[in-house]
Amino acid sequence: MKLNERSLAFYATCDAPVDNAGFLHKRGGRGAGSHRRWFVLRGNMLFYFEAEASREPLGVILLEGCTVELVDVREEFAFAVHFAGGRSRPYVLAADSQAALEGWVKALSRASFHYLRLVVRELEQQLAAMREGSPANALPASPSPVLNPRPKENGRAVWSALPEQPTAAPQRPPLPPRRRASASNGPLLSFAQLHEQYGLEVRALRSQWRGGHTGLAGLEVSWHPSESGGTHTQDQP
Amino acid sequence: MRYNEKELQALSRQPAEMAAELGMRGPKKGSVAKRRLVKLVVNFLFYFRPDEAEPLGALLLERCIVAQEEPGGFSISFVEDLSRKYHFECCSQEQCQEWMEALRRARNEIRKMTGKDPLEQFGISEEARFQLNSLPTTHGRTACIGSQLDVLD
C-alpha cells in the first residue's frame, strides 16, 4: 500500500505539541534484544526514532484499534500494545520508571479515535437508558437520536449529527477538568447538559473553522450561568 | 519508514466517515485522473480501485491543506510541499463541499488547536473513561484497558 511517508515524517518532527514523548525500550523481532528508542506520540500515531535529535523516524505504529496491557515479563515497567485479529505481533515496550510507565499506558490508551467513539457510544447508551427511566424529567426538546453510533450512509460524521437546539442555553457552566462532584443533583440532567454543551461547542468550533479562524481566542464559547443557585454537580452515574 | 501495514489495511475496512467514487489524480506532472473509491476513516484517506478490496494507498491527513480547485473539484496538499497536490473530482459542488469539510474535520490536530480534550473539559473524570469493561465488544475486540489501569490508580 502506498503511504505518504514523507508527510508522515514531517508530521513526526513538526513543532506542534506532542501527546507524550520519552525513551522506551522496544523489543526487536523474534528473539532479538531490545533497543532504546525515542518515542513520540501524536494522536493515533506512535513514532520512534533512533535518538531524540533524529530528523526522521525509524518507524511508526498506527494505534487505531489497539489495546494496551501491562506485562509481567523479564523487563520491569513493561507494557504491550496489542492488535486484534492476530495480524500483527504485539509491541512490547518498557519504560524507565513506574511514573513513565503509567504516563505511557494512559496516553496510549486514549490515543485512538476508536477509543473516543467508544466513550461517546457508552455515554449515549447511558443517556438513553436514563431517559427511559425518567420520562418526566425536564429536558429541553428531546432530540432523536442524539448521536448516531455509526457513521451514517450519507457520510455525516458522528460528531456532526447533533440536535439542532440553537436557543437552548446550558443551565450550568462546565466544571474545570478533573474536579469531582461533592453532591449529586441527579445524573440525568448532567448528561443532557454534557451533550448540549458539547454540541454547542462543536458547532461553535465548526463555524469558526469555516470562517478560517485559527487563533484560540476565536474559539471561546460563552456560557450563561443559571439563575437558580445550587451546587455544581457533574456526577458520573 | 517502518509501519504496521496490516493494521493500516484493517483500518481501511472500518466504517468510513465518507466514502464515494471520485476522480483522483496524483501529484506527479502529467498524471491522469482515474476513478477511485475514496474512503475517509479517522485521519486517513484510503483510495481503492473501484472493484478491489485492498487499498492502493493511504494518505495521512495531518497537516494537510484542503482547497477548492475547479467547481466540483478539490485538492489535498501538505504543509511541507504545497506544490504536490492530489486532485479529486466530485459529481457536484455540494459533494465537493461535503468532502472538504469532512477532510478538514478529520485531522487530530484540530482537537489540539482548542487545547482541550473534548471530554475532559466537561468534567468527565479519567476513571469514568477507563471503565470500559462494561462496553460491548466491537469487531470482536474486548476493551481490556479498564482492568489494567485499575492497578495504576
Side-chain angles (χ1 to χ4, degrees), chain A residues 23-237:
Chain A
F23 285 103
L24 291 171
H25 291 86
K26 175 176 176 293
R27 211 180 285 163
R30 250 177 250 139
S34 65
H35 301 275
R36 195 160 180 262
R37 301 286 186 225
W38 177 253
F39 279 78
V40 170
L41 173 63
R42 282 213 153 95
N44 54 357
M45 312 287 283
L46 180 63
F47 296 94
Y48 53 97
F49 301 77
E50 187 148 8
E52 193 176 346
S54 302
R55 288 228 301 248
E56 230 184 81
L58 286 172
V60 60
I61 302 170
L62 167 66
L63 296 170
E64 279 303 320
C66 79
T67 53
V68 183
E69 289 183 15
L70 302 175
V71 294
D72 189 18
V73 94
R74 51 182 192 259
E75 284 167 294
E76 260 194 307
F77 314 125
F79 61 98
V81 178
H82 289 271
F83 293 93
R87 293 175 294 256
S88 321
R89 60 174 175 81
Y91 292 87
V92 180
L93 302 168
D96 289 329
S97 68
Q98 184 63 25
L101 166 65
E102 290 177 19
W104 275 108
V105 173
K106 282 191 179 167
L108 291 171
S109 301
R110 291 188 272 199
S112 64
F113 282 59
H114 173 76
Y115 169 80
L116 281 177
R117 288 210 184 110
L118 280 180
V119 178
V120 171
R121 204 176 307 175
E122 172 71 358
L123 289 174
E124 286 180 87
Q125 286 171 358
Q126 291 181 22
L127 177 62
M130 282 185 292
R131 280 211 169 119
E132 273 170 45
S134 322
N137 202 306
L139 291 171
S142 190
S144 62
V146 177
L147 287 172
N148 196 343
R150 291 175 58 84
K152 291 184 187 168
E153 268 11 272
N154 67 4
R156 291 189 121 241
V158 174
W159 311 111
S160 68
L162 290 163
E164 293 291 307
Q165 295 176 21
T167 55
Q171 294 181 12
R172 290 194 179 82
L175 278 184
R178 300 178 198 275
R179 183 170 150 185
R180 299 283 178 277
S182 49
S184 167
N185 209 20
L188 182 57
L189 222 48
S190 300
F191 267 113
Q193 286 166 7
L194 283 174
H195 273 283
E196 301 226 333
Q197 289 159 6
Y198 189 21
L200 284 170
E201 167 130 356
V202 168
R203 290 177 70 239
L205 285 169
R206 278 168 64 211
S207 61
Q208 290 287 350
W209 296 333
R210 287 206 193 104
H213 295 250
T214 51
L216 286 176
L219 296 173
E220 288 300 309
V221 179
S222 58
W223 301 109
H224 304 283
S226 107
E227 289 305 301
S228 60
T231 54
H232 285 290
T233 58
Q234 290 278 344
D235 198 20
Q236 282 308 111

Side-chain angles (χ1 to χ4, degrees), chain B residues 62-78:
Chain B
E62 298 300 335
R63 289 161 54 86
C64 77
I65 292 171
V66 180
Q68 178 89 50
E69 298 290 327
E70 71 282 2
F74 65 91
S75 66
I76 297 175
S77 53
F78 295 90

Side-chain angles (χ1 to χ4, degrees), chain A residues 1 88 155 157 178 209 216, chain B residues 2 5 7 17 58 110 113 126:
Chain A
M1 191 193 316
S88 321
R178 300 178 198 275
W209 296 333
L216 286 176
Chain B
R2 274 177 285 156
E5 183 163 7
E7 297 311 322
E17 203 64 34
I110 284 177
M113 270 163 54
E126 283 198 357

Side-chain angles (χ1 to χ4, degrees), chain A residues 11 14 16-20 41-44 209 214 216 219, chain B residues 62 107-118:
Chain A
Y11 177 53
C14 70
V18 300
D19 291 316
N20 209 15
L41 173 63
R42 282 213 153 95
N44 54 357
W209 296 333
T214 51
L216 286 176
L219 296 173
Chain B
E62 298 300 335
R107 289 169 300 185
N108 193 50
E109 295 223 340
I110 284 177
R111 182 161 63 108
K112 304 273 194 57
M113 270 163 54
T114 67
K116 299 182 247 183
D117 184 318

